[in-house]
Amino acid sequence: MEVYNLRNTKEKILFVCLGNICRSPAAEGVMRAMVERAGVEEQFELDSAGTYGGHAGDLPDSRMRSAASARGYLLTHRARRFREDDYYDFDRIIVMDDRNYEDVSRLAPERKYLQKVYRFVEFCRHHPQWSYVPDPYYEGREGFELVLDLLEDVVLSVRLMDFHGMGLLVDGSDIDFRAECLICLCKYVALAGLGFDSEVEVSCIM
Ligand code: 4NP
């Protein structure tokens, strides 16, 4: 059995919101915690940015840090503005709402780069009622909790796993292994690498 990674490179993901002090640094922090917990941090490069540069250099909003910390996430990102070069530097640019989508799209160097832009909620599994991640900046505590609920739903989704392009090859053919999420697949691949066979059960950490 051979473990393969179609990309053989890191998956570079940039999360984008307006100010880069609430939603996108939290998305980065939650995703980072998840991949670290699964021991697959080497396979990802994560960052976040804002379309508005007014908070550049700032730590995430204290309300976001406090809500995230209560769930075990340490947010240490320093805000920066989204720039055209991000289209060259990242594989996926994941935005929080329609306004972010428009602002980010306007900076695309060429039309083909728009293929890299995704809406965050596209990856949600349990929140079909949300077509965007709502800006919590002028909201109360519930607004920040809702953002974290959405982020925790998204970061483990199967679509991110598909992006990563990992799989298993047994006797020259793909095995049909359906992991529930990215972390399951990475754990499975890690176990396979350690010599366990395809019967190994992998449970989701969620
Ligand atoms: P974020 O939230 O886009 O999730 O970081 C906001 C942060 C700051 C502002 C707006 C939204 N602001 O207007 O300064």
Side-chain angles (χ1 to χ4, degrees):
M1 179 162 53
E2 187 186 324
V3 177
Y4 71 83
N5 177 344
L6 288 175
R7 296 172 50 85
N8 249 338
T9 57
K10 288 187 179 197
E11 176 77 26
K12 297 177 189 163
I13 302 175
L14 179 69
F15 299 99
V16 176
C17 62
L18 176 62
N20 193 211
I21 54 169
C22 296
R23 293 165 291 175
S24 61
E28 179 194 341
V30 172
M31 178 87 181
R32 195 177 301 287
M34 295 289 183
V35 299
E36 281 174 4
R37 213 176 293 160
V40 293
E41 63 269 32
E42 294 301 312
Q43 295 163 27
F44 291 88
E45 189 175 310
L46 306 171
D47 195 5
S48 62
T51 55
Y52 162 68
H55 293 284
D58 291 355
L59 277 171
D61 186 286
S62 58
R63 296 165 296 170
M64 189 79 251
R65 274 188 286 146
S66 142
S69 161
R71 297 193 191 200
Y73 308 115
L74 182 65
L75 306 185
T76 57
H77 176 79
R78 292 283 175 173
R80 73 167 178 86
R81 191 168 194 177
F82 179 80
R83 49 183 178 256
E84 184 180 333
D85 275 357
D86 287 323
Y87 275 102
Y88 302 113
D89 295 340
F90 290 90
D91 303 307
R92 317 284 161 193
I93 296 166
I94 304 184
V95 303
M96 301 294 145
D97 61 29
D98 288 347
R99 179 175 171 190
N100 306 152
Y101 194 95
E102 281 166 26
D103 292 343
V104 159
S105 300
R106 222 173 288 126
L107 284 176
E110 287 174 56
R111 199 171 172 74
K112 66 178 184 185
Y113 285 91
L114 293 177
Q115 290 172 4
K116 292 189 173 192
V117 186
Y118 299 81
R119 286 180 173 81
F120 204 83
V121 290
E122 288 178 44
F123 306 99
C124 275
R125 293 180 299 173
H126 304 302
H127 295 84
Q129 70 276 35
W130 285 100
S131 59
Y132 60 98
V133 180
D135 184 350
Y137 194 66
Y138 297 105
E139 303 295 330
R141 188 183 163 77
E142 320 77 59
F144 289 88
E145 296 299 336
L146 172 61
V147 167
L148 288 169
D149 288 345
L150 290 164
L151 300 183
E152 288 182 328
D153 186 4
V154 163
V155 292
L156 292 176
S157 84
V158 172
R159 283 204 59 196
L160 282 178
M161 180 185 84
D162 289 344
F163 289 163
H164 203 49
M166 295 176 77
L168 294 174
L169 211 57
V170 180
D171 298 331
S173 53
D174 274 335
I175 63 163
D176 185 17
F177 174 71
R178 293 194 182 279
E180 254 200 49
C181 69
L182 170 73
I183 305 303
C184 284
L185 182 75
C186 291
K187 280 165 82 179
Y188 185 84
V189 169
L191 288 170
L194 290 173
F196 289 89
D197 65 21
S198 56
E199 301 301 314
V200 168
E201 279 220 2
V202 179
S203 57
C204 186
I205 60 169
M206 280 182 82

